[in-house]
Amino acid sequence: MNVTMILLPEMVALDLVGPHEVLSRVPGWQVRLVAASRAPVRADRGMTILPDCTRDEVTATDLLVIPGGAGADVAMLDPEWIAFVRAQVLQARYVFGICTGAFLLGAAGLLKGRRAGAHWQARDLLAQFGAIPVADRVVVDGQFYTSGGVTSGIDAALQVVADLAGVERARMIQLALEYDPAPPFPGGTPATSPQPIVDAVLEAGKERRQSREAQVARAARLL
Amino acid sequence: MNVTMILLPEMVALDLVGPHEVLSRVPGWQVRLVAASRAPVRADRGMTILPDCTRDEVTATDLLVIPGGAGADVAMLDPEWIAFVRAQVLQARYVFGICTGAFLLGAAGLLKGRRAGAHWQARDLLAQFGAIPVADRVVVDGQFYTSGGVTSGIDAALQVVADLAGVERARMIQLALEYDPAPPFPGGTPATSPQPIVDAVLEAGKERRQSREAQVARAARLL
């Protein structure tokens, strides 16, 4: 099983590393990080990660994985990333978009009529690519796995492993990662967070939301 | 608030990146990754991360963060890491060990009589450093925060932020990361996993456990 994970500048590092920690623990799965060049890739909060290869070095992909964050919004409008994603999905058996990584799939025209998840602050915009936004942490539609925001990538990665390598392997990895999560307070969704917290997060993300709306509209027109 | 996170070869990448994603989102907190040299640091599953600085470039630390994995076992026996951790803890206001990162604190003689957490497969060994092992995902003893295995670092990081920057900020970050976790199946602890899964994980980790036992015994003698 060849797993190709896309590295994007300004991505959310945990979008990538949460699922990587799960997927890379399946015996026999080879995980490679692909970037536009061999240069280190800086995530939005400064975590800087080295790619394993460039796009033209990826020869075989069984599972394509795409993280989200501002980087996915930029990649949506990058013809080279769009062409790469289209070509990879044609040959890959499975696709896994985390957080707003689904937007890159949408911009490549791959989510038309499909159920898909994304971060709660962006999810509705998936409809502009003809997708059916779903407010779940793990969304499966045929060969397409997508997740809600950031940390839901860990839940979705366990589902991917359960489906493709067996539920026993997934549960072994869950135990090895001691993944019996217990946030110290309720929250994590708008429905479970106090309204002032929701308002503060929306306010802090207002500019990102505005630029994302413009980027999605442009990508949808190009499609 | 200066946050210094230690980068160790063969660490568990998610031990570092989960808490980094939380801590780096607090306004005004400067997070730096310190390594033995400026060379890229390869985690145990291939994720390769660039450090921001070397040990002698760290001038001020308010919060010291130590990830776990095989890297921490090696660092336990490295006089340079032990000296660095001792010096940093003397000046830091808070210390945060994730997974088996607590062993580096133990080997530095900093956990005597303290309650501390670690990965469930290693936790009992903390007693050899005079610590009191606690089977919680988040353990707080004075200025010392420690966590259970890998993913519990996310829970513990939210507690650190709640205590040091306010619970509102922690809940904003929790919402921004959509951290309302829902593993697709129960598990994540020996108590919640079927016995064959527990046995398989213990069997797969047998060599690591044996070498860790030897490393802890050596580090405890050196102390």
mmCIF file with all atom_site columns, all heavy atoms in Angstrom, chain B residues 122-145:
data_model
loop_
_atom_site.group_PDB
_atom_site.id
_atom_site.type_symbol
_atom_site.label_atom_id
_atom_site.label_alt_id
_atom_site.label_comp_id
_atom_site.label_asym_id
_atom_site.label_entity_id
_atom_site.label_seq_id
_atom_site.pdbx_PDB_ins_code
_atom_site.Cartn_x
_atom_site.Cartn_y
_atom_site.Cartn_z
_atom_site.occupancy
_atom_site.B_iso_or_equiv
_atom_site.pdbx_formal_charge
_atom_site.auth_seq_id
_atom_site.auth_comp_id
_atom_site.auth_asym_id
_atom_site.auth_atom_id
_atom_site.pdbx_PDB_model_num
ATOM 1   N N   . ALA B 1 122 ? 4.659  2.124  29.738 1.00 0.00 ? 122 ALA B N   1
ATOM 2   C CA  . ALA B 1 122 ? 5.935  2.500  30.359 1.00 0.00 ? 122 ALA B CA  1
ATOM 3   C C   . ALA B 1 122 ? 5.762  3.135  31.736 1.00 0.00 ? 122 ALA B C   1
ATOM 4   O O   . ALA B 1 122 ? 6.720  3.241  32.491 1.00 0.00 ? 122 ALA B O   1
ATOM 5   C CB  . ALA B 1 122 ? 6.668  3.497  29.454 1.00 0.00 ? 122 ALA B CB  1
ATOM 6   N N   . ARG B 1 123 ? 4.522  3.483  32.042 1.00 0.00 ? 123 ARG B N   1
ATOM 7   C CA  . ARG B 1 123 ? 4.239  4.338  33.211 1.00 0.00 ? 123 ARG B CA  1
ATOM 8   C C   . ARG B 1 123 ? 4.860  3.829  34.508 1.00 0.00 ? 123 ARG B C   1
ATOM 9   O O   . ARG B 1 123 ? 5.457  4.589  35.272 1.00 0.00 ? 123 ARG B O   1
ATOM 10  C CB  . ARG B 1 123 ? 2.715  4.445  33.344 1.00 0.00 ? 123 ARG B CB  1
ATOM 11  C CG  . ARG B 1 123 ? 2.230  5.447  34.335 1.00 0.00 ? 123 ARG B CG  1
ATOM 12  C CD  . ARG B 1 123 ? 0.719  5.270  34.517 1.00 0.00 ? 123 ARG B CD  1
ATOM 13  N NE  . ARG B 1 123 ? -0.001 5.504  33.270 1.00 0.00 ? 123 ARG B NE  1
ATOM 14  C CZ  . ARG B 1 123 ? -0.984 4.706  32.796 1.00 0.00 ? 123 ARG B CZ  1
ATOM 15  N NH1 . ARG B 1 123 ? -1.336 3.637  33.466 1.00 0.00 ? 123 ARG B NH1 1
ATOM 16  N NH2 . ARG B 1 123 ? -1.595 5.004  31.676 1.00 0.00 ? 123 ARG B NH2 1
ATOM 17  N N   . ASP B 1 124 ? 4.760  2.522  34.752 1.00 0.00 ? 124 ASP B N   1
ATOM 18  C CA  . ASP B 1 124 ? 5.245  1.952  36.020 1.00 0.00 ? 124 ASP B CA  1
ATOM 19  C C   . ASP B 1 124 ? 6.731  2.227  36.251 1.00 0.00 ? 124 ASP B C   1
ATOM 20  O O   . ASP B 1 124 ? 7.180  2.350  37.393 1.00 0.00 ? 124 ASP B O   1
ATOM 21  C CB  . ASP B 1 124 ? 4.985  0.442  36.052 1.00 0.00 ? 124 ASP B CB  1
ATOM 22  C CG  . ASP B 1 124 ? 5.702  -0.282 34.903 1.00 0.00 ? 124 ASP B CG  1
ATOM 23  O OD1 . ASP B 1 124 ? 5.427  0.052  33.721 1.00 0.00 ? 124 ASP B OD1 1
ATOM 24  O OD2 . ASP B 1 124 ? 6.537  -1.165 35.168 1.00 0.00 ? 124 ASP B OD2 1
ATOM 25  N N   . LEU B 1 125 ? 7.491  2.343  35.143 1.00 0.00 ? 125 LEU B N   1
ATOM 26  C CA  . LEU B 1 125 ? 8.943  2.536  35.265 1.00 0.00 ? 125 LEU B CA  1
ATOM 27  C C   . LEU B 1 125 ? 9.306  3.897  35.854 1.00 0.00 ? 125 LEU B C   1
ATOM 28  O O   . LEU B 1 125 ? 10.434 4.099  36.312 1.00 0.00 ? 125 LEU B O   1
ATOM 29  C CB  . LEU B 1 125 ? 9.619  2.357  33.900 1.00 0.00 ? 125 LEU B CB  1
ATOM 30  C CG  . LEU B 1 125 ? 9.484  0.957  33.270 1.00 0.00 ? 125 LEU B CG  1
ATOM 31  C CD1 . LEU B 1 125 ? 10.083 0.961  31.862 1.00 0.00 ? 125 LEU B CD1 1
ATOM 32  C CD2 . LEU B 1 125 ? 10.170 -0.088 34.136 1.00 0.00 ? 125 LEU B CD2 1
ATOM 33  N N   . LEU B 1 126 ? 8.364  4.840  35.849 1.00 0.00 ? 126 LEU B N   1
ATOM 34  C CA  . LEU B 1 126 ? 8.640  6.157  36.435 1.00 0.00 ? 126 LEU B CA  1
ATOM 35  C C   . LEU B 1 126 ? 9.004  6.044  37.920 1.00 0.00 ? 126 LEU B C   1
ATOM 36  O O   . LEU B 1 126 ? 9.714  6.899  38.464 1.00 0.00 ? 126 LEU B O   1
ATOM 37  C CB  . LEU B 1 126 ? 7.418  7.073  36.289 1.00 0.00 ? 126 LEU B CB  1
ATOM 38  C CG  . LEU B 1 126 ? 7.171  7.704  34.922 1.00 0.00 ? 126 LEU B CG  1
ATOM 39  C CD1 . LEU B 1 126 ? 5.850  8.465  34.933 1.00 0.00 ? 126 LEU B CD1 1
ATOM 40  C CD2 . LEU B 1 126 ? 8.321  8.646  34.557 1.00 0.00 ? 126 LEU B CD2 1
ATOM 41  N N   . ALA B 1 127 ? 8.512  4.994  38.560 1.00 0.00 ? 127 ALA B N   1
ATOM 42  C CA  . ALA B 1 127 ? 8.785  4.820  39.989 1.00 0.00 ? 127 ALA B CA  1
ATOM 43  C C   . ALA B 1 127 ? 10.286 4.677  40.259 1.00 0.00 ? 127 ALA B C   1
ATOM 44  O O   . ALA B 1 127 ? 10.762 5.009  41.348 1.00 0.00 ? 127 ALA B O   1
ATOM 45  C CB  . ALA B 1 127 ? 8.039  3.591  40.515 1.00 0.00 ? 127 ALA B CB  1
ATOM 46  N N   . GLN B 1 128 ? 11.036 4.213  39.242 1.00 0.00 ? 128 GLN B N   1
ATOM 47  C CA  . GLN B 1 128 ? 12.480 4.052  39.445 1.00 0.00 ? 128 GLN B CA  1
ATOM 48  C C   . GLN B 1 128 ? 13.201 5.387  39.609 1.00 0.00 ? 128 GLN B C   1
ATOM 49  O O   . GLN B 1 128 ? 14.341 5.436  40.054 1.00 0.00 ? 128 GLN B O   1
ATOM 50  C CB  . GLN B 1 128 ? 13.095 3.268  38.280 1.00 0.00 ? 128 GLN B CB  1
ATOM 51  C CG  . GLN B 1 128 ? 12.519 1.854  38.219 1.00 0.00 ? 128 GLN B CG  1
ATOM 52  C CD  . GLN B 1 128 ? 13.359 0.938  37.365 1.00 0.00 ? 128 GLN B CD  1
ATOM 53  O OE1 . GLN B 1 128 ? 14.575 1.107  37.269 1.00 0.00 ? 128 GLN B OE1 1
ATOM 54  N NE2 . GLN B 1 128 ? 12.718 -0.031 36.749 1.00 0.00 ? 128 GLN B NE2 1
ATOM 55  N N   . PHE B 1 129 ? 12.529 6.462  39.220 1.00 0.00 ? 129 PHE B N   1
ATOM 56  C CA  . PHE B 1 129 ? 13.097 7.801  39.429 1.00 0.00 ? 129 PHE B CA  1
ATOM 57  C C   . PHE B 1 129 ? 12.480 8.467  40.660 1.00 0.00 ? 129 PHE B C   1
ATOM 58  O O   . PHE B 1 129 ? 12.628 9.667  40.872 1.00 0.00 ? 129 PHE B O   1
ATOM 59  C CB  . PHE B 1 129 ? 12.852 8.677  38.197 1.00 0.00 ? 129 PHE B CB  1
ATOM 60  C CG  . PHE B 1 129 ? 13.519 8.169  36.947 1.00 0.00 ? 129 PHE B CG  1
ATOM 61  C CD1 . PHE B 1 129 ? 12.785 7.857  35.818 1.00 0.00 ? 129 PHE B CD1 1
ATOM 62  C CD2 . PHE B 1 129 ? 14.895 8.011  36.900 1.00 0.00 ? 129 PHE B CD2 1
ATOM 63  C CE1 . PHE B 1 129 ? 13.395 7.403  34.664 1.00 0.00 ? 129 PHE B CE1 1
ATOM 64  C CE2 . PHE B 1 129 ? 15.521 7.549  35.743 1.00 0.00 ? 129 PHE B CE2 1
ATOM 65  C CZ  . PHE B 1 129 ? 14.774 7.243  34.635 1.00 0.00 ? 129 PHE B CZ  1
ATOM 66  N N   . GLY B 1 130 ? 11.746 7.673  41.442 1.00 0.00 ? 130 GLY B N   1
ATOM 67  C CA  . GLY B 1 130 ? 11.144 8.229  42.656 1.00 0.00 ? 130 GLY B CA  1
ATOM 68  C C   . GLY B 1 130 ? 9.827  8.932  42.414 1.00 0.00 ? 130 GLY B C   1
ATOM 69  O O   . GLY B 1 130 ? 9.267  9.551  43.325 1.00 0.00 ? 130 GLY B O   1
ATOM 70  N N   . ALA B 1 131 ? 9.311  8.854  41.181 1.00 0.00 ? 131 ALA B N   1
ATOM 71  C CA  . ALA B 1 131 ? 8.025  9.485  40.879 1.00 0.00 ? 131 ALA B CA  1
ATOM 72  C C   . ALA B 1 131 ? 6.873  8.575  41.311 1.00 0.00 ? 131 ALA B C   1
ATOM 73  O O   . ALA B 1 131 ? 7.063  7.381  41.549 1.00 0.00 ? 131 ALA B O   1
ATOM 74  C CB  . ALA B 1 131 ? 7.926  9.774  39.389 1.00 0.00 ? 131 ALA B CB  1
ATOM 75  N N   . ILE B 1 132 ? 5.701  9.167  41.392 1.00 0.00 ? 132 ILE B N   1
ATOM 76  C CA  . ILE B 1 132 ? 4.483  8.413  41.707 1.00 0.00 ? 132 ILE B CA  1
ATOM 77  C C   . ILE B 1 132 ? 3.674  8.314  40.418 1.00 0.00 ? 132 ILE B C   1
ATOM 78  O O   . ILE B 1 132 ? 3.057  9.294  39.993 1.00 0.00 ? 132 ILE B O   1
ATOM 79  C CB  . ILE B 1 132 ? 3.667  9.146  42.806 1.00 0.00 ? 132 ILE B CB  1
ATOM 80  C CG1 . ILE B 1 132 ? 4.531  9.359  44.042 1.00 0.00 ? 132 ILE B CG1 1
ATOM 81  C CG2 . ILE B 1 132 ? 2.375  8.379  43.114 1.00 0.00 ? 132 ILE B CG2 1
ATOM 82  C CD1 . ILE B 1 132 ? 4.091  10.540 44.895 1.00 0.00 ? 132 ILE B CD1 1
ATOM 83  N N   . PRO B 1 133 ? 3.714  7.140  39.735 1.00 0.00 ? 133 PRO B N   1
ATOM 84  C CA  . PRO B 1 133 ? 3.016  7.021  38.453 1.00 0.00 ? 133 PRO B CA  1
ATOM 85  C C   . PRO B 1 133 ? 1.501  7.149  38.632 1.00 0.00 ? 133 PRO B C   1
ATOM 86  O O   . PRO B 1 133 ? 0.930  6.575  39.558 1.00 0.00 ? 133 PRO B O   1
ATOM 87  C CB  . PRO B 1 133 ? 3.381  5.610  37.978 1.00 0.00 ? 133 PRO B CB  1
ATOM 88  C CG  . PRO B 1 133 ? 4.579  5.205  38.783 1.00 0.00 ? 133 PRO B CG  1
ATOM 89  C CD  . PRO B 1 133 ? 4.427  5.896  40.100 1.00 0.00 ? 133 PRO B CD  1
ATOM 90  N N   . VAL B 1 134 ? 0.868  7.923  37.748 1.00 0.00 ? 134 VAL B N   1
ATOM 91  C CA  . VAL B 1 134 ? -0.572 8.154  37.805 1.00 0.00 ? 134 VAL B CA  1
ATOM 92  C C   . VAL B 1 134 ? -1.177 7.797  36.447 1.00 0.00 ? 134 VAL B C   1
ATOM 93  O O   . VAL B 1 134 ? -0.678 8.221  35.408 1.00 0.00 ? 134 VAL B O   1
ATOM 94  C CB  . VAL B 1 134 ? -0.879 9.635  38.145 1.00 0.00 ? 134 VAL B CB  1
ATOM 95  C CG1 . VAL B 1 134 ? -2.392 9.874  38.163 1.00 0.00 ? 134 VAL B CG1 1
ATOM 96  C CG2 . VAL B 1 134 ? -0.256 10.014 39.485 1.00 0.00 ? 134 VAL B CG2 1
ATOM 97  N N   . ALA B 1 135 ? -2.254 7.007  36.477 1.00 0.00 ? 135 ALA B N   1
ATOM 98  C CA  . ALA B 1 135 ? -2.863 6.522  35.230 1.00 0.00 ? 135 ALA B CA  1
ATOM 99  C C   . ALA B 1 135 ? -3.924 7.492  34.722 1.00 0.00 ? 135 ALA B C   1
ATOM 100 O O   . ALA B 1 135 ? -5.041 7.088  34.427 1.00 0.00 ? 135 ALA B O   1
ATOM 101 C CB  . ALA B 1 135 ? -3.464 5.134  35.455 1.00 0.00 ? 135 ALA B CB  1
ATOM 102 N N   . ASP B 1 136 ? -3.579 8.767  34.613 1.00 0.00 ? 136 ASP B N   1
ATOM 103 C CA  . ASP B 1 136 ? -4.498 9.760  34.048 1.00 0.00 ? 136 ASP B CA  1
ATOM 104 C C   . ASP B 1 136 ? -3.931 10.298 32.748 1.00 0.00 ? 136 ASP B C   1
ATOM 105 O O   . ASP B 1 136 ? -2.725 10.240 32.523 1.00 0.00 ? 136 ASP B O   1
ATOM 106 C CB  . ASP B 1 136 ? -4.708 10.929 35.019 1.00 0.00 ? 136 ASP B CB  1
ATOM 107 C CG  . ASP B 1 136 ? -5.529 10.523 36.242 1.00 0.00 ? 136 ASP B CG  1
ATOM 108 O OD1 . ASP B 1 136 ? -6.231 9.497  36.169 1.00 0.00 ? 136 ASP B OD1 1
ATOM 109 O OD2 . ASP B 1 136 ? -5.434 11.233 37.259 1.00 0.00 ? 136 ASP B OD2 1
ATOM 110 N N   . ARG B 1 137 ? -4.810 10.858 31.912 1.00 0.00 ? 137 ARG B N   1
ATOM 111 C CA  . ARG B 1 137 ? -4.338 11.468 30.665 1.00 0.00 ? 137 ARG B CA  1
ATOM 112 C C   . ARG B 1 137 ? -3.652 12.803 30.922 1.00 0.00 ? 137 ARG B C   1
ATOM 113 O O   . ARG B 1 137 ? -2.802 13.222 30.132 1.00 0.00 ? 137 ARG B O   1
ATOM 114 C CB  . ARG B 1 137 ? -5.511 11.667 29.689 1.00 0.00 ? 137 ARG B CB  1
ATOM 115 C CG  . ARG B 1 137 ? -6.006 10.353 29.095 1.00 0.00 ? 137 ARG B CG  1
ATOM 116 C CD  . ARG B 1 137 ? -7.155 10.566 28.139 1.00 0.00 ? 137 ARG B CD  1
ATOM 117 N NE  . ARG B 1 137 ? -6.782 11.173 26.879 1.00 0.00 ? 137 ARG B NE  1
ATOM 118 C CZ  . ARG B 1 137 ? -6.229 10.528 25.859 1.00 0.00 ? 137 ARG B CZ  1
ATOM 119 N NH1 . ARG B 1 137 ? -5.949 9.250  25.962 1.00 0.00 ? 137 ARG B NH1 1
ATOM 120 N NH2 . ARG B 1 137 ? -5.949 11.172 24.741 1.00 0.00 ? 137 ARG B NH2 1
ATOM 121 N N   . VAL B 1 138 ? -4.027 13.462 31.997 1.00 0.00 ? 138 VAL B N   1
ATOM 122 C CA  . VAL B 1 138 ? -3.427 14.750 32.345 1.00 0.00 ? 138 VAL B CA  1
ATOM 123 C C   . VAL B 1 138 ? -3.089 14.702 33.830 1.00 0.00 ? 138 VAL B C   1
ATOM 124 O O   . VAL B 1 138 ? -3.972 14.454 34.656 1.00 0.00 ? 138 VAL B O   1
ATOM 125 C CB  . VAL B 1 138 ? -4.406 15.914 32.082 1.00 0.00 ? 138 VAL B CB  1
ATOM 126 C CG1 . VAL B 1 138 ? -3.722 17.250 32.364 1.00 0.00 ? 138 VAL B CG1 1
ATOM 127 C CG2 . VAL B 1 138 ? -4.965 15.866 30.660 1.00 0.00 ? 138 VAL B CG2 1
ATOM 128 N N   . VAL B 1 139 ? -1.815 14.921 34.158 1.00 0.00 ? 139 VAL B N   1
ATOM 129 C CA  . VAL B 1 139 ? -1.383 14.892 35.559 1.00 0.00 ? 139 VAL B CA  1
ATOM 130 C C   . VAL B 1 139 ? -0.693 16.221 35.863 1.00 0.00 ? 139 VAL B C   1
ATOM 131 O O   . VAL B 1 139 ? 0.223  16.622 35.146 1.00 0.00 ? 139 VAL B O   1
ATOM 132 C CB  . VAL B 1 139 ? -0.413 13.713 35.825 1.00 0.00 ? 139 VAL B CB  1
ATOM 133 C CG1 . VAL B 1 139 ? -0.013 13.669 37.301 1.00 0.00 ? 139 VAL B CG1 1
ATOM 134 C CG2 . VAL B 1 139 ? -1.038 12.385 35.396 1.00 0.00 ? 139 VAL B CG2 1
ATOM 135 N N   . VAL B 1 140 ? -1.163 16.892 36.892 1.00 0.00 ? 140 VAL B N   1
ATOM 136 C CA  . VAL B 1 140 ? -0.566 18.174 37.277 1.00 0.00 ? 140 VAL B CA  1
ATOM 137 C C   . VAL B 1 140 ? -0.039 18.049 38.692 1.00 0.00 ? 140 VAL B C   1
ATOM 138 O O   . VAL B 1 140 ? -0.757 17.626 39.598 1.00 0.00 ? 140 VAL B O   1
ATOM 139 C CB  . VAL B 1 140 ? -1.612 19.320 37.208 1.00 0.00 ? 140 VAL B CB  1
ATOM 140 C CG1 . VAL B 1 140 ? -0.913 20.672 37.393 1.00 0.00 ? 140 VAL B CG1 1
ATOM 141 C CG2 . VAL B 1 140 ? -2.395 19.288 35.900 1.00 0.00 ? 140 VAL B CG2 1
ATOM 142 N N   . ASP B 1 141 ? 1.250  18.375 38.874 1.00 0.00 ? 141 ASP B N   1
ATOM 143 C CA  . ASP B 1 141 ? 1.848  18.401 40.202 1.00 0.00 ? 141 ASP B CA  1
ATOM 144 C C   . ASP B 1 141 ? 2.696  19.663 40.285 1.00 0.00 ? 141 ASP B C   1
ATOM 145 O O   . ASP B 1 141 ? 3.817  19.700 39.775 1.00 0.00 ? 141 ASP B O   1
ATOM 146 C CB  . ASP B 1 141 ? 2.692  17.143 40.446 1.00 0.00 ? 141 ASP B CB  1
ATOM 147 C CG  . ASP B 1 141 ? 3.208  17.074 41.885 1.00 0.00 ? 141 ASP B CG  1
ATOM 148 O OD1 . ASP B 1 141 ? 3.473  18.156 42.483 1.00 0.00 ? 141 ASP B OD1 1
ATOM 149 O OD2 . ASP B 1 141 ? 3.339  15.961 42.420 1.00 0.00 ? 141 ASP B OD2 1
ATOM 150 N N   . GLY B 1 142 ? 2.158  20.667 40.915 1.00 0.00 ? 142 GLY B N   1
ATOM 151 C CA  . GLY B 1 142 ? 2.858  21.951 40.988 1.00 0.00 ? 142 GLY B CA  1
ATOM 152 C C   . GLY B 1 142 ? 3.092  22.513 39.610 1.00 0.00 ? 142 GLY B C   1
ATOM 153 O O   . GLY B 1 142 ? 2.160  22.628 38.812 1.00 0.00 ? 142 GLY B O   1
ATOM 154 N N   . GLN B 1 143 ? 4.337  22.812 39.291 1.00 0.00 ? 143 GLN B N   1
ATOM 155 C CA  . GLN B 1 143 ? 4.660  23.386 37.987 1.00 0.00 ? 143 GLN B CA  1
ATOM 156 C C   . GLN B 1 143 ? 4.816  22.321 36.902 1.00 0.00 ? 143 GLN B C   1
ATOM 157 O O   . GLN B 1 143 ? 5.094  22.645 35.754 1.00 0.00 ? 143 GLN B O   1
ATOM 158 C CB  . GLN B 1 143 ? 5.940  24.236 38.085 1.00 0.00 ? 143 GLN B CB  1
ATOM 159 C CG  . GLN B 1 143 ? 7.205  23.400 38.299 1.00 0.00 ? 143 GLN B CG  1
ATOM 160 C CD  . GLN B 1 143 ? 8.506  24.186 38.307 1.00 0.00 ? 143 GLN B CD  1
ATOM 161 O OE1 . GLN B 1 143 ? 9.326  24.014 39.185 1.00 0.00 ? 143 GLN B OE1 1
ATOM 162 N NE2 . GLN B 1 143 ? 8.671  25.057 37.333 1.00 0.00 ? 143 GLN B NE2 1
ATOM 163 N N   . PHE B 1 144 ? 4.662  21.045 37.284 1.00 0.00 ? 144 PHE B N   1
ATOM 164 C CA  . PHE B 1 144 ? 4.910  19.936 36.348 1.00 0.00 ? 144 PHE B CA  1
ATOM 165 C C   . PHE B 1 144 ? 3.613  19.382 35.771 1.00 0.00 ? 144 PHE B C   1
ATOM 166 O O   . PHE B 1 144 ? 2.776  18.863 36.512 1.00 0.00 ? 144 PHE B O   1
ATOM 167 C CB  . PHE B 1 144 ? 5.682  18.806 37.049 1.00 0.00 ? 144 PHE B CB  1
ATOM 168 C CG  . PHE B 1 144 ? 7.126  19.141 37.303 1.00 0.00 ? 144 PHE B CG  1
ATOM 169 C CD1 . PHE B 1 144 ? 7.484  19.956 38.365 1.00 0.00 ? 144 PHE B CD1 1
ATOM 170 C CD2 . PHE B 1 144 ? 8.134  18.657 36.471 1.00 0.00 ? 144 PHE B CD2 1
ATOM 171 C CE1 . PHE B 1 144 ? 8.819  20.284 38.599 1.00 0.00 ? 144 PHE B CE1 1
ATOM 172 C CE2 . PHE B 1 144 ? 9.473  18.973 36.701 1.00 0.00 ? 144 PHE B CE2 1
ATOM 173 C CZ  . PHE B 1 144 ? 9.810  19.796 37.763 1.00 0.00 ? 144 PHE B CZ  1
ATOM 174 N N   . TYR B 1 145 ? 3.493  19.480 34.460 1.00 0.00 ? 145 TYR B N   1
ATOM 175 C CA  . TYR B 1 145 ? 2.416  18.823 33.729 1.00 0.00 ? 145 TYR B CA  1
ATOM 176 C C   . TYR B 1 145 ? 2.996  17.605 33.021 1.00 0.00 ? 145 TYR B C   1
ATOM 177 O O   . TYR B 1 145 ? 4.033  17.705 32.356 1.00 0.00 ? 145 TYR B O   1
ATOM 178 C CB  . TYR B 1 145 ? 1.822  19.764 32.668 1.00 0.00 ? 145 TYR B CB  1
ATOM 179 C CG  . TYR B 1 145 ? 1.047  20.931 33.244 1.00 0.00 ? 145 TYR B CG  1
ATOM 180 C CD1 . TYR B 1 145 ? 1.709  22.037 33.769 1.00 0.00 ? 145 TYR B CD1 1
ATOM 181 C CD2 . TYR B 1 145 ? -0.343 20.914 33.273 1.00 0.00 ? 145 TYR B CD2 1
ATOM 182 C CE1 . TYR B 1 145 ? 1.010  23.095 34.310 1.00 0.00 ? 145 TYR B CE1 1
ATOM 183 C CE2 . TYR B 1 145 ? -1.054 21.977 33.812 1.00 0.00 ? 145 TYR B CE2 1
ATOM 184 C CZ  . TYR B 1 145 ? -0.374 23.063 34.330 1.00 0.00 ? 145 TYR B CZ  1
ATOM 185 O OH  . TYR B 1 145 ? -1.078 24.106 34.866 1.00 0.00 ? 145 TYR B OH  1
#
